[in-house]
Amino acid sequence: MKSVRRLTVPVVALTALVLAACDGGGGSREGIWAAGSSTVFPFTTRVAENFSRANDFAMPRVESLGTGGGIKAFCAGIGPATPDIANASRRMKASEFDECARNGVTDILEIKIGYDGLVVAVARSGADYDFQASDFYLGFAKSVPGPNGEFVANPNVTWSQVRPGLPDVRILAYGPPPTSGTRDSWLELGMTPSAEAVPALATLAESDEDAFETRAHTLREDGLWVDSGENDNAIVQTLTRTPGSLGVFGYSFLEQNSDSVKAATVNGVAPNFETIASGDYPISRSMYVYVKKAHIGVTPGLDLFVTEYLSDAASGRGGYLQDRGLVPLPAPELEAQRQAVRARTPMVRPEE
C-alpha cells in the first residue's frame, strides 16, 4: 500500500516543538522508533523498509531489545526520548501496563499482528526428536522430583534418560534470556504444560500454585540450558557449530534457516503455517505491537506506518510478512484490528 505525504517545514518544526514539550525539553527526533522483541524485529523491519520506500518520511528506527526491554523503554514516558512502538512476542503484563500509567503513558493501542510458534530445533544433520508430555520439564527444569518425592537437582544429562525412545544425545539447549518475550512464552507454553504432566507437579499445582510455577519455570543452571541473548540468528548459527545441541526460537527463524536447521515435533505435531494458524501445534503464540496514541499525529508518519503494518500487502494472507515467517490472522480478525486502530480504541489493563 503506497501513500505519500509531505510535511512542510513549518509543520515539521511544530511537530518537533510538541514532542520536545512532551519530553520536558529533551529534544526531538525525526522518524518512527520501534523497540522490543527479537521475534517481531524482522517483521517490523520489513514494514519499515516498505514504508520508507513508499513515503517521504525518515527511515524508521527498529531495535531488538527483547520484549521486556522494549516495553520498559516504551513505558518510560511520552516524547522523543522514548519509542513510539513496542514490539512484543507476548501480551503486555499488568505490571508493565501499570508502569506505563505511572509514567504518563496512557491510551495505548494494542495491535495483534499475527501468530508465531516456538520451535525446538536442531541442525539438519542432527537426530530427530518428538517431544511429548513431561519431556521438556524433565530435560530443562533445574529440579525434579526424586525417588523419595523430594525435589532434587535434575540428574538427567541425556535425552534417553528423560524418556526411552528419545535420542541418546547429551542435553544441551540454547534459548532466550529472561528479558525476552520468547522466554516468557516458552515458560508458559512449553514448560508449564510439561510440568503438569508430572504427577507430583500436578499435585503441587493444586495445593500451591506459586510453588508450582517456581518449579516449572526455573530452568537448569548447570550449563545444559544456555541463555543466548536476544539474537535468535545467533542461536541458529550455534546449532550448526555445536553437534547435538538444541535451540528454542520463533518459527520465523526456522523458515529463514530451513536449509541448516530442522524442528522437532511436539506431541506428534510439526510446526508449520497450517498447524500454528489452527493452534494444533502446542507451542503457538500471538505477536503484538503497542503504539502510543499520544504520539500519533505528532511523530511524522506514525499513523501511516500502522496502516501499512495492518495492510493486506503486509499482514494479510500471502503478504510480505508471511514470507518472513509470520502466520497471518484470519481475515475477520485482521479487520477487527484495523477497526480498533481506526477508532483509536485503547487497550484495557491486562488481568495478569
Side-chain angles (χ1 to χ4, degrees), residues 19-351:
L19 276 171
C22 290
D23 191 46
S28 62
R29 60 173 159 83
E30 293 183 3
I32 296 158
W33 180 11
S37 166
S38 62
T39 303
V40 181
F41 173 81
F43 307 142
T44 301
T45 298
R46 180 65 186 276
V47 174
E49 292 166 351
N50 281 38
F51 171 83
S52 181
R53 284 195 295 266
N55 296 280
D56 191 21
F57 294 111
M59 176 68 183
R61 168 185 170 189
V62 186
E63 293 183 300
S64 178
L65 305 177
T67 294
I71 291 179
K72 182 177 181 180
F74 178 86
C75 289
I78 298 293
T82 63
D84 307 294
I85 296 170
N87 298 324
S89 56
R90 57 161 172 79
R91 285 203 75 195
M92 180 181 287
K93 299 175 182 178
S95 59
E96 294 167 332
F97 183 90
D98 293 341
E99 179 66 15
C100 269
R102 282 192 291 271
N103 292 326
V105 183
T106 58
D107 292 336
I108 301 168
L109 304 185
E110 179 183 64
I111 305 169
K112 184 189 292 188
I113 60 169
Y115 302 105
D116 184 35
L118 291 183
V119 301
V120 181
V122 65
R124 292 208 67 85
S125 59
D128 293 325
Y129 291 82
D130 176 30
F131 290 107
Q132 300 176 13
S134 61
D135 293 347
F136 291 144
Y137 173 76
L138 295 178
F140 296 132
K142 180 179 179 179
S143 61
V144 299
N148 61 358
E150 297 294 323
F151 283 91
V152 299
N154 194 334
N156 298 316
V157 295
T158 66
W159 285 110
S160 57
Q161 289 176 307
V162 168
R163 177 170 58 83
L166 284 173
D168 187 21
V169 175
R170 179 172 179 259
I171 296 171
L172 176 61
Y174 295 87
T179 55
S180 171
T182 300
R183 172 68 157 258
D184 293 326
S185 297
W186 170 246
L187 296 178
E188 290 297 330
L189 302 175
M191 294 297 291
T192 294
S194 185
E196 290 171 341
V198 177
L201 272 293
T203 300
L204 182 61
E206 294 179 359
S207 63
D208 190 335
E209 186 175 344
D210 290 340
F212 166 80
E213 183 172 295
T214 297
R215 295 290 183 185
H217 290 186
T218 303
L219 301 178
R220 57 197 308 168
E221 299 171 349
D222 55 2
L224 303 190
W225 171 277
V226 181
D227 291 339
S228 295
E230 299 291 355
N231 186 348
D232 290 348
N233 276 319
I235 298 180
V236 172
Q237 294 165 11
T238 298
L239 300 186
T240 62
R241 296 194 303 264
T242 312
S245 63
L246 300 175
V248 176
F249 46 79
Y251 173 72
S252 60
F253 290 93
L254 176 71
E255 280 277 280
Q256 295 167 33
N257 297 278
S258 59
D259 59 333
S260 58
V261 296
K262 61 184 178 181
T265 56
V266 181
N267 296 340
V269 181
N272 57 46
F273 183 93
E274 289 75 17
T275 59
I276 293 171
S278 67
D280 291 338
Y281 180 66
I283 321 179
S284 302
R285 57 182 177 165
S286 300
M287 303 282 99
Y288 298 89
V289 295
Y290 292 91
V291 181
K292 290 175 183 170
K293 183 177 176 181
H295 284 200
I296 296 177
V298 179
T299 299
L302 182 57
D303 54 343
L304 292 180
F305 183 83
V306 174
T307 298
E308 171 66 18
Y309 217 131
L310 292 177
S311 68
D312 283 333
S315 295
R317 191 175 182 93
Y320 58 76
L321 293 184
Q322 183 177 327
D323 292 340
R324 284 282 177 99
L326 183 71
V327 176
L329 299 172
E333 192 172 352
L334 179 57
E335 180 55 31
Q337 296 298 309
R338 292 171 180 152
Q339 291 177 7
V341 168
R342 286 194 290 265
R344 302 287 190 264
T345 305
M347 68 179 292
V348 299
R349 184 180 185 273
E351 294 182 2

